[in-house]
Amino acid sequence: MSYFGPGHGACPGCGFPIAVKAVLEALEGKAFVVNPTGCLEIVSSMYNRNVWGVPYIHSLFENAAAVAAGIEAALRALNRKHEGHVVVFAGDGATADIGFGMVSGAFDRNHDILYICYDNEAYQNTGNQQSALTPPGARTTTTPVGKRQPGKIGKKKDMVSIAVAHGIPYVASASVGYPNDLKRKVKRAVEFEGAKYIHVHAPCVTGWGIDGKQTVEVARLAVETGLYPLVEFEHGKLVRVMKIKEKKPVEEYLKAQRRFRHLFKHPEGRKIIEELQRIADENIKRYNLLQQ
Amino acid sequence: MRRVVRGFYAIAEAVRLCRPNVICAYPITPQTEIVENLAEMYANGELDAEYITAESEFAAASIVLGASAAGARVFTATSSQGLLLMTEVLFNAAGMRLPIVMVVANRSVSAPLSIWNDHQDSMTVRDAGIIQMHAENNQEAHDLIPLAYKVAEDKRVLLPFILNVDGFKLTHAYEPVDLLSQEVVDSFLPPYDPVVKLSTEKPVAMGCYAPPPYYMEFRVAMEYAMERAKKVMEEAFKEWSEIIGRDYGSHVSAEHCEDAEVVAIAMGSLVGLVRDVVEEMRKEGKKVGLLKIRTFRPFPAEEVREALKNANKVIIFERSLSIGSDPPVTLEVKSALFGSSSPEIHSVVIGLGGRDIPREQIVKVISEVYEGKVKPGKRYEGVKEFEEVIP
Ligand SMILES: Cc1ncc(C[n+]2csc(CCOP(=O)(O)OP(=O)(O)O)c2C)c(N)n1
Ligand code: SF4
C-alpha cells in the first residue's frame, strides 16, 4: 500500500492530495498522521475504506495540534521517537479558526511535531463557508455577494507570521503548484527538533470554481502575482524566498476563479481588486520577491 | 505506610505508583493541587512520566487522548467548567475506546459561579461511555486509582474511567491514609499493553468516520463493554481487597437494608454522614438502612433493586439536578425498580454549590420520612425562602 491512496474520494483536481503525497514521500512514510475533521478526513478515513498507509488518527475539528502533542509525548515517554515524525494535516478552518488556541499551545511548548496547514481558503467540507483565511472579496456561502456585500470583507489572517512569532524553529509557506519545493521544505523542517509549521496553498475546485485541470496553474498564479509568497524562516529569520520570474497582475489570478467573478461587476469590486493588488505588491516588497 | 495527608496528595501519590507515561491537566479549583503535587514529584525526579502543562482543559484532554492512542498510560484531572470544556474530547476518547483515567474533583457549575462541591459536573458526561465511581473518603480515593487503570485497560472493557471525589470535602481534607507501596501496586497493575495503538510498524487508522451501515455497531459495542465492565470491576474489587485488606463493598454497599423500612441512598463523601445517622437511628430501634452507591456507571441496577427489595420508602440524597426532570440518581433508582418493588421515592436535593449539609438536616429528613410526615416526591432541603430573580 502507498502512503496515501489510492481510493481517496477527493474531487478530481483537488489540491491537498498533492500536498499529502509530497509530505509523506519526503518523510518516506515515517509519519504518524493526525488529521482534524474536514475535507481530507472525510475523503480518506471512512471505516473499512481507510486509504492511509501510515498510522493515522482523526481527532476532532479543533484539537489536532494537541492530539499530536500527546502522541509526541507518548513516543518520547515510551522511547519510540525513532519510529517516525508526528505530522498534522489540517485545513485552514481547523488551524486558523476553531483550533487556533491549540496550535498556539503546541507551538508554545515547542512539541516536536510538523504541522501542515492545507489552505483551501474556506471550510470546504461543510460546503464552502468563509474562514479567517478566506481572502478579501471571495464569495463563500457565508459571505455571499449581494447589494450590500461584495463577498468576504476583511483580511486573510497571516498564519505564517503568527507561527514565526511563536519562536518555533522552522516556518515556511509552500504551494501544491510546486510539490518539489514542498518536499524540500519538509526534509529541511524535520532536521529541526521542535515545532515546525508549513502553510500550503491548496486550491479547491468546487469552492473556488475552477476546472480540475487548472489546479496547479491557479496555485502557481497565486505565487506569481505575489498574493501567496513562498517563504522560509529558520529560528525566526527569513532564510529563503521563491523568486518571481515575471510578476503577473492579480486580475489574472482572480479571473481564473468563479469565487471572484463578481468583483469585475460589483460596485465595490474595483476597490477590492485594488486592495488585493496592494497586498500582492506589499508582499513582493516585504520579501523582495522579484528576480533582479 | 499510614500517614495523615490531604486528599489531593493521596490521589497524586496513587497516580505516581501506577507509573503513568503522560500526565497533562489544567488548573481549576479544587482539582489543582492534585496536578501540582504530580508536578512536584516530576520536578523532584520521583515521577518517570512526561508532564505537560496544557493551555486549557480541552487541550489537556486532547493531549492525553493522543498519548493514549499512541500506547501510553495517561492521567488527567479536572473539575466543573474544566470537565464541561473537555466534554467533546471525552465522548471522542470513549468512542475510540481509550482507557484514559482521570479524577474529577466534583464541583458545581456556572452560573452562578461557585467553586464548591456538588455532583453536577460529572453528571454532564454520564452518557459519554465513561466508567464513573465515587469515593467516600481519601483512603478509598487512593485505593481506587490503581483499580481504575486495571479496569479501564482490561481488554474486555477499554473505556475511560472517571474517579469522582468531592471537591474540598475530600481533596483538601486531612485524613489518615494507608499509602500503597510500589510493590503492592505493581503486583496488582500490569504494564499497559494496548490492543491497538498508533505505530509505524503496523499502521492502523483510529477515529475513522462511519457511515450509517457501520456507526451503530460501534456505539452498541460500547454498551456491551460497559456491561462487561460490571463483572470485570467485581473481579478487580475482590482481587484488590484481598491484596490490600480493605473492602469497600462492591458497586454498592448495602448496610442494614435487609429489614429496613426506609433506605437512604447517597454517593461520595455524604455517605459517611448518612451512615452515622443511620447507625444512631438503628440504636434507637428504627428500621433504617443505608445504600451507598459507589459505581455510577455502569449503573448497578440489579444490586440497587436487591438492596431495596424490602424497603417501603427510599430517600435519595441528590447532589445535582437534571433541570426539567428527576435528578440523575433518582432517575436511575426508579428505572432500576421499575417492574419490581415500588416503594415511596423521596428525592431530596441537598447541598448544591457547597451549601452546608448539617447532621440535623439528615436526621430530620430520614425521621420525617420514617414517621410518614412528608409526601414522596422531589424536594429541596436547606433552601431559604426566596423570590425568583434573573441574575
Ligand atoms: C466543533 C465542530 N464544529 C463544527 C464542525 C463542522 N465542521 C466539520 S469540518 C468543518 C470545516 C472544515 O474546514 P477546514 O478546516 O478549512 O478544512 P476543509 O474542509 O476546508 O478541508 C466544519 C465547520 C465540527 N466537526 N466540529
Ligand atoms: S471540496 Fe474542495 S477541498 Fe474538498 S475534496 Fe473537493 S476540491 Fe478538495
Side-chain angles (χ1 to χ4, degrees), chain B residues 47-228:
Chain B
L47 178 68
D48 190 17
E50 292 293 324
Y51 185 96
I52 298 172
T53 51
E55 72 276 20
S56 71
E57 287 89 350
F58 195 91
S62 305
I63 288 167
V64 294
L65 180 148
S68 181
R73 178 174 286 165
V74 300
F75 178 77
T76 188
T78 193
S79 297
S80 184
Q81 307 309 121
L83 186 66
L84 267 60
L85 189 57
M86 283 183 176
T87 301
E88 191 195 6
V89 186
L90 293 179
F91 271 77
N92 201 30
M96 289 199 207
R97 308 292 299 273
L98 298 172
I100 291 166
V101 169
M102 60 187 290
V103 167
V104 173
N106 295 114
R107 164 182 155 183
S108 50
V109 301
S110 290
L113 177 68
S114 158
I115 59 166
W116 291 278
N117 167 245
D118 63 34
H119 292 166
Q120 193 70 58
D121 52 2
S122 60
M123 288 299 169
T124 64
V125 293
R126 66 183 169 167
D127 300 332
I130 303 175
I131 295 168
Q132 287 202 38
M133 289 191 74
H134 283 261
E136 180 187 334
N137 52 41
N138 286 333
Q139 183 70 61
E140 189 171 6
H142 182 72
D143 294 343
L144 282 177
I145 297 276
L147 187 129
Y149 281 105
K150 175 110 167 174
V151 171
E153 292 170 0
D154 191 290
K155 292 187 173 40
R156 295 165 288 176
V157 180
L158 294 173
L159 289 171
F161 196 121
I162 286 177
L163 175 59
N164 290 294
V165 295
D166 283 322
F168 292 116
K169 291 176 196 289
L170 292 191
T171 53
H172 288 61
Y174 284 99
E175 284 177 5
V177 174
D178 264 321
L179 295 173
L180 296 162
S181 69
Q182 189 66 67
E183 298 74 58
V184 160
V185 174
D186 286 348
S187 71
F188 175 70
L189 181 66
Y192 177 39
D193 175 25
V195 182
V196 280
K197 64 172 186 231
L198 297 170
S199 143
T200 46
E201 274 144 37
K202 192 166 166 267
V204 290
M206 299 176 74
C208 287
Y209 109 81
Y214 300 114
Y215 182 84
M216 228 176 126
E217 284 71 18
F218 282 97
R219 303 305 289 183
V220 173
M222 290 169 73
E223 186 67 42
Y224 290 166
M226 195 54 106
E227 277 167 27
R228 286 195 299 271

Side-chain angles (χ1 to χ4, degrees), chain A residues 16 36-40 60-62 90-95 98 118 120-126 129 131, chain B residues 88:
Chain A
F16 63 62
T37 317
C39 251
L40 171 59
L60 290 163
F61 185 22
E62 61 275 50
D92 45 292
T95 303
I98 198 166
Y118 65 91
N120 53 25
E121 304 197 316
Y123 304 162
Q124 303 302 358
N125 179 47
T126 38
Q129 295 83 23
S131 80
Chain B
E88 191 195 6

